[in-house]
Amino acid sequence: MILLGSRDLNWPRDRGTDRAEAFENGTTKYDAQAEFLTARFAMSDFRVTGTEFGPAGLLAIEAANDGDPIRLEVVPDCSGPWIESWRLFDLGDGERHFVYPEAAGR
Protein backbone atom coordinates (compact mmCIF):
# COMPACT_ATOMS: atom_id res chain seq x y z
CA MET A 1 0.00 0.00 0.00
CA ILE A 2 1.35 3.43 -0.88
CA LEU A 3 1.01 5.68 2.17
CA LEU A 4 2.38 8.92 0.80
CA GLY A 5 3.59 10.16 -2.57
CA SER A 6 5.05 13.42 -3.78
CA ARG A 7 2.37 13.64 -6.49
CA ASP A 8 -0.19 13.92 -3.66
CA LEU A 9 0.93 17.56 -3.47
CA ASN A 10 -0.96 18.11 -6.74
CA TRP A 11 -4.38 17.27 -5.31
CA PRO A 12 -6.48 19.18 -2.78
CA ARG A 13 -7.64 17.35 0.33
CA ASP A 14 -11.18 18.67 -0.23
CA ARG A 15 -13.00 18.42 -3.55
CA GLY A 16 -13.76 21.71 -5.19
CA THR A 17 -10.68 23.45 -3.79
CA ASP A 18 -8.28 25.05 -6.25
CA ARG A 19 -5.01 23.05 -6.57
CA ALA A 20 -2.74 26.07 -6.23
CA GLU A 21 -4.71 27.30 -3.24
CA ALA A 22 -4.50 23.88 -1.54
CA PHE A 23 -0.74 23.78 -2.13
CA GLU A 24 -0.23 27.27 -0.69
CA ASN A 25 -2.45 26.56 2.33
CA GLY A 26 -1.03 23.12 3.12
CA THR A 27 -4.35 21.41 2.49
CA THR A 28 -3.36 18.86 -0.15
CA LYS A 29 -3.83 15.09 0.02
CA TYR A 30 -0.12 14.93 0.87
CA ASP A 31 -0.57 17.20 3.89
CA ALA A 32 -3.57 15.20 5.15
CA GLN A 33 -1.75 11.88 4.88
CA ALA A 34 1.46 13.29 6.41
CA GLU A 35 -0.56 14.56 9.40
CA PHE A 36 -2.17 11.13 9.82
CA LEU A 37 1.17 9.30 9.67
CA THR A 38 2.87 11.74 12.03
CA ALA A 39 0.09 11.31 14.58
CA ARG A 40 0.23 7.52 14.21
CA PHE A 41 3.97 7.39 14.86
CA ALA A 42 3.73 9.89 17.72
CA MET A 43 1.25 7.59 19.53
CA SER A 44 3.85 4.88 20.06
CA ASP A 45 7.53 4.57 20.80
CA PHE A 46 8.73 3.22 17.47
CA ARG A 47 12.37 2.19 17.25
CA VAL A 48 14.24 1.46 14.04
CA THR A 49 15.21 -2.20 13.99
CA GLY A 50 16.81 -2.36 10.56
CA THR A 51 17.50 -0.61 7.28
CA GLU A 52 18.07 -1.95 3.81
CA PHE A 53 19.30 -0.41 0.59
CA GLY A 54 18.14 -1.85 -2.72
CA PRO A 55 18.55 -1.26 -6.42
CA ALA A 56 17.58 2.07 -7.96
CA GLY A 57 17.60 3.91 -4.64
CA LEU A 58 15.14 1.75 -2.73
CA LEU A 59 15.40 2.47 1.00
CA ALA A 60 13.57 0.24 3.47
CA ILE A 61 13.26 1.06 7.16
CA GLU A 62 11.91 -1.45 9.63
CA ALA A 63 10.61 -0.26 12.99
CA ALA A 64 8.71 -1.72 15.91
CA ASN A 65 6.92 -0.64 19.02
CA ASP A 66 5.13 -2.76 21.60
CA GLY A 67 2.77 -3.96 18.87
CA ASP A 68 3.24 -4.93 15.27
CA PRO A 69 6.37 -4.07 13.31
CA ILE A 70 6.19 -1.78 10.29
CA ARG A 71 8.28 -1.63 7.13
CA LEU A 72 8.49 1.59 5.16
CA GLU A 73 9.87 1.55 1.63
CA VAL A 74 11.04 4.80 0.07
CA VAL A 75 11.25 4.85 -3.72
CA PRO A 76 12.83 7.78 -5.62
CA ASP A 77 10.52 9.46 -8.13
CA CYS A 78 13.15 11.28 -10.17
CA SER A 79 15.71 10.04 -12.66
CA GLY A 80 18.12 12.97 -12.39
CA PRO A 81 21.55 12.02 -11.01
CA TRP A 82 21.99 15.42 -9.33
CA ILE A 83 18.61 15.59 -7.60
CA GLU A 84 18.63 14.18 -4.08
CA SER A 85 15.90 11.60 -3.44
CA TRP A 86 16.67 10.83 0.19
CA ARG A 87 19.31 11.28 2.88
CA LEU A 88 19.81 8.98 5.88
CA PHE A 89 21.85 10.15 8.88
CA ASP A 90 23.81 7.99 11.30
CA LEU A 91 22.76 9.24 14.73
CA GLY A 92 25.77 7.61 16.35
CA ASP A 93 28.37 10.12 15.22
CA GLY A 94 26.31 12.81 13.52
CA GLU A 95 28.75 13.04 10.63
CA ARG A 96 28.20 9.91 8.55
CA HIS A 97 25.21 9.88 6.22
CA PHE A 98 24.02 8.20 3.05
CA VAL A 99 22.57 10.03 0.05
CA TYR A 100 20.80 8.73 -3.03
CA PRO A 101 21.96 9.22 -5.65
CA GLU A 102 25.54 9.65 -4.48
CA ALA A 103 26.17 12.34 -7.13
CA ALA A 104 23.67 14.55 -5.26
CA GLY A 105 25.71 14.40 -2.05
CA ARG A 106 26.98 17.69 -0.78
Side-chain angles (χ1 to χ4, degrees), residues 19-100:
R19 287 184 187 185
E21 181 181 322
F23 183 83
E24 287 297 320
N25 295 331
T27 57
T28 65
K29 289 188 179 286
Y30 180 96
D31 298 302
Q33 192 65 1
E35 289 171 15
F36 168 78
L37 291 171
T38 299
R40 172 70 175 94
F41 285 116
M43 290 174 28
S44 297
D45 189 21
F46 280 93
R47 302 289 180 178
V48 173
T49 58
T51 58
E52 178 183 324
F53 302 104
L58 172 71
L59 166 64
I61 301 171
E62 295 176 355
N65 62 4
D66 293 335
D68 295 326
I70 187 168
R71 178 181 170 96
L72 300 173
E73 294 186 0
V74 178
V75 181
D77 72 344
C78 181
S79 62
W82 301 105
I83 300 171
E84 182 176 311
S85 293
W86 55 257
R87 184 175 293 238
L88 183 65
F89 291 90
D90 182 349
L91 293 178
D93 63 18
E95 294 292 325
R96 192 169 68 148
H97 61 276
F98 306 91
V99 179
Y100 183 82

